[in-house]
Amino acid sequence: MCLGIPGRVVEIVDGYAGQLALVDVEGARRRVNIGMLDEAPGRDDWVLLHMGFAVELIDRAKAREALSGLEMMGRGREQRIRRRFEVRGVVQGVGFRPFVYVTASELLLTGSVTNTGDGVLAEVEGTAGAVEEFGRRLCADAPPLAVVEDVRTSEQPTRGGTGFTIERSSASGRARTLVSPDIATCDDCLEELSDPSNRRYRHPFITCTHCGPRFTIVTGLPYDRAATTMADFEMCGACRAEYEDPHDRRFHAQPIACPDCGPRLELVGKEGALPSHDADALRTARKLLAEGGIIAVKGLGGYHLVCDARDDAAVAELRRRKQRGGKPFAVMVPDLDVARGLVTPTADEEELLSGGRRPIVLLPRLATGAGVSDAVAPGSPHLGLLLPYTPLHVLLFGIGDDPPGPDALVMTSANLSGEPIVTDDGDALTALAPLVDAWLRHDRRIHVPCDDSVSRWAAGAELPLRRSRGYAPLPLALPFDVPPTLAVGADLKNTCALAEGRYAWLSQHIGDMDDLSTVGALTRTEKHLEDLTGVAPTRLVADRHPGYHSGGWARAHAAGRPVRTVQHHHAHIASVMAEHGLGADERVIGIAFDGTGHGTDGAAWGGEVLVAGYASFGRAAHLGYVPLAGGDASVLRPYRMALAHLHAAGIPWADDMPAVRACPPAERDVLAHQFATGFGCVPTSGMGRLFDAVASLADVRHMVAYEAEAAMELEGLARTAAAGPAAPEGGYRFGIRPGKGEEPAVADPGPVIRAVVSDVRDCVPAGLIAVRFHTAVAALTTRLADLCRSRTGLGTVALGGGVFQNAVLLEATQRGLTERGFTVLRPRLLPPNDGGIALGQLMIAASG
Ligand SMILES: [Zn+2]
Ligand SMILES: [Zn+2]
């Protein structure tokens, strides 16, 4: 053993008879006497130092040995400690335990890691420095799908030990950790999928720790193979070896599978046709699609109905069989190149399209070009596009030298009108029989139904329209503690939410609650969410609308627990406040624009300016009331809203108006009577209904298949016209009547209606009318916000409600308010429509 410290000679110092050298000792430079050495060292030679003298000339190997000896002595002196890390967040099913294992191994720590009902528990033992470093990496280097919400540490007595182990999951404690959402196939897996030398070449169920099914296959917690529908498949030796190898990228990947041991594909034809399997099944499916067939394809969260999107006959046939009316279909394309032939996505939109969540992205259509069949989205200025998110989708388009098939596929949830998506293989065979020519399915069960998410990019951020696959069940962090609560949402686009402490979990999209089967789906979804989160709600909260099925469900399932009801638009605003982390005592100017919601005065509200906190709200202003005659009939026939607004504005119905001509004379007579007497009418301030009225007055659309259709078309026209060579300026202008005393101010749409009628009579193009109308609504929000600020001093505006799905309006509103110095809160994590309302319900219930 060397008695000394090695150093490297940097230079011999001039003078001093060559007896002094500058030596690098562990990064520090020192002057050292080299006079005791037998021969003089040169530059970069190693010497052993003792008491400031170089005592021996040594070689590099000996120097290294001496240095490591020192290092070991140093380590030996450093204190050993044992520390426990309790990690919460999305840390199961995302490769977190393998990550912990590898990190601990690299740092020479001993100990163990395990999944618990609460998250991940790791105990590590080693030098204090290494344990510190482990704690840093736990947060900084976590796997891409993990969301580390909280890490708690506690010191433990040291135990020694020689290795690091992954222990069996313990189910102790309350389940509080959620698994990750389902994630699109990653690049590494895609590469293997098309590599002929890989053993998973063309395997339709290829996954790894960073991608694949999660939420839809989990049957319980903690998340392990046994608690997924993959428990049906016994791993082969090769897969097990990968699963157990900490250095393999499939280490503890629960859905791991290969052609020898995983699920199998099957193509089932109509009666008499023999089923085909695996590669044959895919070949036959692609051929059927190319020939104009319609097939049911089993995906992650349910079955899709699929056909060639460029084939007019096939799309028309699908539309006829599904009795879908004019509702648009989503289209899946194999890659961004094909997408760019149909739409003009921005860089942000391309990122949204190709990211791991992989929603359907709503994009403005190219005005020209071959594109897809007109029957895909009749009359719509938008196209909902998505990219493949499972290996099965990728193979359906074909890879390598596959014969070419369709490169744009209609991909629409397989369900009967209004019912939840079909997930069960038996149900699919019977219920979908009238709709399809064949079934492409597999034997991995779908435990939880989950529709595709729908999203868009608006005003500089993502604007989710339907938060489902790829998003659910990620938890939302809350600004303050709430008691265990269940919120049941509203009747359209229903989602429910559970919360306890600082977290809320919003369910996947359930559907419209006008159907018994959807009400049943709410029951199952809520139960599953309770199982996954461990929240046992002690109170329920619902919309105050007395006729809502969701409210009826809450009362029927209350079992003695209190059911609180909250006002619809207050909940919209509270959702946006919570999403932005506003505290319990904060207040905002809330602008809630939507179709209709039940108001405290019994009217159908929907053009509301509220001064709101979580605990309470006051109505500061609203759109002037017009009569709504027969709820649903007026939603689906915008000309009825046009006639109502004409009536309210005191404009006679004349035959030169397209909206008046669109209304059959008999219906016109009935409406005239209803409006005059108020019989069968509810007053409404719905902004969505005003968009409908303007769409009909401008001769854009008089009948719709679904609620926001006319408004979407108006938005498309406004976008095109505003981007045109002669971009128009200025807009219409609402009247504003300030309220007396405590009364709310009223925004009178009369002047806007008069101006639209005048423009229509002057043959002003519909696009220009659309721009002027959007400008007027955006300006109205600024004027009303100004009015509120002058009365309350509040400078923050929250925007909520389904009307803000309109990107043109959201952008103009946000710009206008920002220019006036307001802080603008807009939906980013949750849909502005009723799909995001459950969070607001929770927050209000927790505050009052
Ligand atoms: Zn992968
Ligand atoms: Zn295998």
Side-chain angles (χ1 to χ4, degrees):
M1 187 172 175
C2 313
L3 283 171
I5 306 167
R8 189 175 51 81
V9 175
V10 178
E11 64 182 9
I12 310 297
V13 181
D14 284 341
Y16 304 100
Q19 303 236 327
L20 207 60
L22 196 62
V23 177
D24 183 313
V25 184
E26 292 185 295
R29 291 184 174 195
R30 287 196 218 160
R31 289 183 163 211
V32 170
N33 189 318
I34 51 174
M36 289 175 70
L37 296 175
D38 293 333
E39 66 174 292
R43 199 186 152 98
D44 282 342
D45 278 344
W46 286 86
V47 291
L48 205 60
L49 309 177
H50 184 69
M51 307 287 283
F53 289 85
V55 293
E56 193 182 345
L57 196 61
I58 55 175
D59 61 22
R60 183 183 292 261
K62 197 166 179 187
R64 200 176 299 135
E65 187 191 313
L67 279 171
S68 70
L70 282 173
E71 213 171 283
M72 294 300 282
M73 284 163 66
R75 286 208 171 177
R77 279 195 298 275
E78 205 183 328
Q79 192 200 351
R80 277 183 81 80
I81 59 169
R82 187 178 185 90
R83 188 172 292 168
R84 174 179 292 174
F85 294 83
E86 291 169 84
V87 188
R88 287 164 198 248
V90 181
V91 289
Q92 293 188 4
V94 293
F96 204 84
R97 284 179 302 165
F99 153 71
V100 168
Y101 179 96
V102 170
T103 306
S105 304
E106 278 172 11
L107 293 167
L108 305 174
L109 296 168
T110 61
S112 65
V113 61
T114 184
N115 276 349
T116 68
D118 287 326
V120 165
L121 178 77
E123 270 195 29
V124 298
E125 185 170 331
T127 63
V131 171
E132 284 296 329
E133 175 63 12
F134 174 84
R136 191 192 66 76
R137 292 194 198 171
L138 206 56
C139 296
D141 302 343
L145 299 185
V147 182
V148 175
E149 301 273 13
D150 182 38
V151 180
R152 283 179 202 172
T153 59
S154 54
E155 303 306 313
Q156 305 289 320
T158 52
R159 278 196 228 157
T162 52
F164 195 89
T165 54
I166 295 184
E167 293 185 350
R168 288 173 61 92
S169 300
S170 81
S172 65
R174 295 164 66 200
R176 180 43 52 86
T177 305
L178 279 190
V179 296
S180 147
D182 299 332
I183 298 294
T185 312
C186 73
D187 289 345
D188 289 340
C189 284
L190 286 177
E191 213 174 296
E192 291 184 4
L193 186 69
S194 51
D195 172 6
S197 70
N198 191 281
R199 72 187 192 90
R200 291 191 179 84
Y201 177 51
R202 291 183 177 271
H203 180 50
F205 304 96
I206 192 168
T207 72
C208 70
T209 27
H210 301 316
C211 74
R214 297 288 188 278
F215 178 56
T216 51
I217 61 167
V218 173
T219 55
L221 282 184
Y223 175 70
D224 254 329
R225 176 88 163 194
T228 70
T229 59
M230 285 302 289
D232 302 350
F233 303 90
E234 176 133 14
M235 273 182 239
C236 68
C239 283
R240 178 157 295 282
E242 292 171 335
Y243 182 84
E244 289 174 353
D245 176 3
H247 299 288
D248 193 279
R249 65 187 197 84
R250 294 193 171 84
F251 183 52
H252 281 256
Q254 308 304 348
I256 188 174
C258 77
D260 293 332
C261 67
R264 295 199 58 192
L265 266 191
E266 182 182 45
L267 187 92
V268 183
K270 289 281 173 123
E271 310 85 41
L274 280 179
S276 55
H277 292 95
D278 306 325
D280 283 340
L282 275 164
R283 240 189 315 276
T284 314
R286 208 160 45 239
K287 186 160 168 288
L288 272 172
L289 291 171
E291 288 165 355
I294 299 169
I295 58 177
V297 177
K298 187 175 178 181
L300 281 183
Y303 276 83
H304 283 108
L305 300 175
V306 180
C307 73
D308 182 355
R310 302 196 198 259
D311 183 332
D312 287 326
V315 181
E317 180 61 17
L318 173 58
R319 197 167 278 290
R320 191 188 66 74
R321 290 189 199 169
K322 209 185 171 196
Q323 299 177 335
R324 187 159 167 101
K327 279 194 188 182
F329 291 129
V331 172
M332 184 181 275
V333 291
D335 50 46
L336 286 173
D337 277 344
V338 179
R340 290 183 197 116
L342 302 172
V343 294
T344 45
T346 62
D348 291 323
E349 287 166 338
E350 291 194 354
E351 212 175 301
L352 196 54
L353 269 172
S354 55
R357 299 168 187 271
R358 214 136 302 183
I360 296 168
V361 182
L362 204 60
L363 294 155
R365 271 172 109 150
L366 278 179
T368 55
V372 294
S373 163
D374 283 343
V376 165
S380 171
H382 303 95
L383 205 54
L385 283 192
L386 79 166
L387 296 186
Y389 54 87
T390 69
L392 175 55
H393 295 142
V394 174
L395 294 168
L396 198 55
F397 283 110
I399 58 171
D401 52 5
D402 284 335
D407 69 347
L409 294 172
V410 165
M411 194 60 72
T412 186
S413 294
N415 56 357
L416 300 175
S417 224
E419 289 188 13
I421 188 168
V422 175
T423 54
D424 179 80
D425 296 326
D427 289 351
L429 274 188
T430 50
L432 303 181
L435 305 181
V436 301
D437 305 309
W439 291 257
L440 183 62
R441 62 183 198 176
H442 54 76
D443 50 355
R444 185 178 67 205
R445 286 176 295 127
I446 298 171
H447 185 66
V448 186
C450 198
D451 286 87
D452 291 324
S453 293
V454 185
S455 201
R456 75 186 307 185
W457 195 267
E462 183 180 359
L463 182 68
L465 304 181
R466 182 205 283 165
R467 184 182 180 273
S468 209
R469 176 189 48 78
Y471 296 73
L474 277 177
L476 298 155
L478 302 181
F480 51 86
D481 278 337
V482 306
T485 312
L486 164 65
V488 297
D491 268 22
L492 291 177
K493 303 178 173 71
N494 181 263
T495 60
C496 64
L498 284 170
E500 182 174 9
R502 288 293 182 99
Y503 293 106
W505 291 268
L506 208 69
S507 77
Q508 70 274 36
H509 170 77
I510 299 172
D512 293 348
M513 302 287 290
D514 49 5
D515 195 289
L516 263 186
S517 59
T518 313
V519 175
L522 170 58
T523 308
R524 289 189 299 277
T525 304
E526 194 277 326
K527 168 76 171 61
H528 185 250
L529 204 56
E530 276 193 27
D531 289 346
L532 281 189
T533 60
V535 175
T538 55
R539 50 163 88 182
L540 286 77
V541 51
D543 195 282
R544 62 168 278 140
H545 195 303
Y548 269 9
H549 293 111
S550 51
W553 186 97
R555 285 186 292 276
H557 291 77
R561 295 170 292 180
V563 180
R564 164 91 186 267
T565 60
V566 303
Q567 202 278 325
H568 191 87
H569 303 96
H570 186 202
H572 270 308
I573 297 305
S575 278
V576 181
M577 289 172 63
E579 189 190 296
H580 287 269
L582 262 57
D585 300 324
E586 298 196 61
R587 292 197 312 155
V588 298
I589 299 166
I591 299 185
F593 286 169
D594 68 356
T596 53
H598 191 73
T600 53
D601 59 357
W605 291 10
E608 310 304 314
V609 181
L610 312 177
V611 172
Y614 295 112
S616 64
F617 75 94
R619 196 183 194 197
H622 64 87
L623 200 59
Y625 284 141
V626 301
L628 179 73
D632 282 353
S634 290
V635 171
L636 297 179
R637 286 177 248 164
Y639 63 77
R640 291 167 71 95
M641 290 317 303
L643 266 56
H645 270 283
L646 288 171
H647 168 84
I651 303 169
W653 300 345
D655 277 324
D656 70 329
M657 298 175 183
V660 174
R661 283 201 305 274
C663 184
E667 192 177 342
R668 226 183 285 173
D669 291 344
V670 175
L671 281 178
H673 177 72
Q674 285 189 287
F675 292 162
T677 61
F679 178 75
C681 291
V682 179
T684 184
S685 55
M687 183 58 87
R689 298 289 81 81
L690 178 60
F691 270 80
D692 287 347
V694 171
S696 176
L697 287 171
D699 204 12
V700 171
R701 188 165 279 267
H702 305 290
M703 309 268 277
V704 295
Y706 56 99
E707 197 190 354
E709 190 179 0
M712 298 272 292
E713 223 170 312
L714 219 50
E715 178 197 339
L717 285 170
R719 181 190 303 282
T720 311
E729 286 184 13
Y732 309 128
R733 193 170 165 85
F734 286 84
I736 294 182
R737 293 196 301 273
K740 295 187 200 96
E742 294 291 289
E743 277 178 19
V746 174
D748 179 10
V752 172
I753 298 294
R754 269 189 289 280
V756 172
V757 168
S758 157
D759 272 357
V760 172
R761 285 190 166 134
D762 290 347
C763 299
V764 171
L768 198 47
I769 293 175
V771 173
R772 289 175 175 167
F773 177 62
H774 278 79
T775 308
V777 176
L780 176 67
T781 60
T782 312
R783 293 163 64 201
L784 292 175
D786 269 336
L787 195 73
C788 284
R789 179 164 56 185
S790 67
R791 288 180 187 168
T792 63
L794 294 172
T796 300
V797 178
L799 305 174
V803 167
F804 286 110
Q805 295 175 100
N806 182 325
V808 171
L809 180 68
L810 183 65
E811 277 155 25
T813 303
Q814 189 166 309
R815 194 170 50 242
L817 288 167
T818 309
E819 280 168 7
R820 298 282 302 159
F822 286 102
T823 301
V824 182
L825 311 179
R826 44 77 51 108
R828 288 174 312 189
L829 305 175
L830 299 184
N833 59 47
D834 288 2
I837 209 167
L839 178 67
Q841 293 178 336
L842 286 172
M843 301 308 288
I844 295 170
S847 305

